[in-house]
Amino acid sequence: MRISRFPSLVDDITVRLIAAVVLVVGAVALATQQWWLYALLAADFTLRAALGPDASPVARFVRSALRPRIAAPPRPTAGPPKRFAAAIGAVMTGAATLLWVLSAATGSQAASAAVVVIGVVMVVFPALEAVLGVCVGCILFSGLMKIGLVPDDVCLECADLSQRARAARSAAQQAA
């Protein structure tokens, strides 16, 4: 029985547009100190990571309203690293939400400061993805695959790419 419906391949342009929406919401939350926005992001990230993009209101909005306006053809990219990145987003925004509630309930300055730090991260990470196509969660996922904490069969496309990279390095070393 398959619980997750996260695809093995996703459109990189759609992913970058989703990151742009997260960037805008994160920037608004940070600039206005409307920390409840992190609860919305946490719910969306959790739905996306657990059930796939079809369960995410942000992903559905992007696919129906924004992506059709971009003329570029789809650029397939591996899905499992993007799912991992969504899980990181769920943890980060979930933590920000809990810290915000803690701060409101106790007046804790440390909790308030932690919300701001997480808020900055939740602007920087989606900005890197949306603007430059750099997925920090994907980089972490790749590192976990390289050290064997994520098995190759979790992402065959990723494993194939890492095998190609190893073969290219080996060929370059033999040529030198």
Side-chain angles (χ1 to χ4, degrees):
M1 177 178 168
R2 185 175 171 172
I3 295 172
S4 173
R5 294 185 196 106
F6 209 98
S8 60
L9 291 175
V10 294
D11 176 29
D12 186 59
I13 295 168
T14 301
V15 169
R16 290 177 74 172
L17 290 169
I18 291 168
V21 171
V22 171
L23 169 61
V24 168
V25 174
V28 167
L30 191 59
T32 63
Q33 297 184 2
Q34 297 297 309
W35 307 126
W36 59 271
L37 290 170
Y38 291 129
L40 297 178
L41 285 175
D44 188 79
F45 275 123
T46 300
L47 288 169
R48 195 167 349 122
L51 302 173
D54 289 342
S56 160
V58 171
R60 291 174 65 130
F61 166 74
V62 165
R63 283 197 323 249
S64 66
L66 300 180
R67 181 59 173 110
R69 299 178 193 280
I70 308 296
R75 289 195 307 225
T77 190
K82 301 301 183 183
R83 180 180 186 197
F84 182 76
I88 291 172
V91 169
M92 296 291 289
T93 54
T97 301
L98 291 174
L99 289 165
W100 164 61
V101 170
L102 177 67
S103 171
T106 66
S108 168
Q109 295 298 328
S112 294
V115 173
V116 172
V117 170
I118 293 171
V120 170
V121 170
M122 290 311 300
V123 167
V124 171
F125 283 14
L128 288 170
E129 175 80 49
V131 177
L132 301 174
V134 175
C135 174
V136 175
C138 300
I139 293 167
L140 293 172
F141 185 87
S142 174
L144 293 173
M145 283 190 80
K146 285 179 184 172
I147 63 173
L149 289 176
V150 175
D152 285 352
D153 65 349
V154 169
C155 182
L156 296 175
E157 178 67 21
C158 303
D160 186 46
L161 289 176
S162 65
Q163 289 170 3
R164 283 186 227 158
R166 278 192 287 266
R169 281 193 302 271
S170 176
Q173 288 173 347
Q174 289 176 356

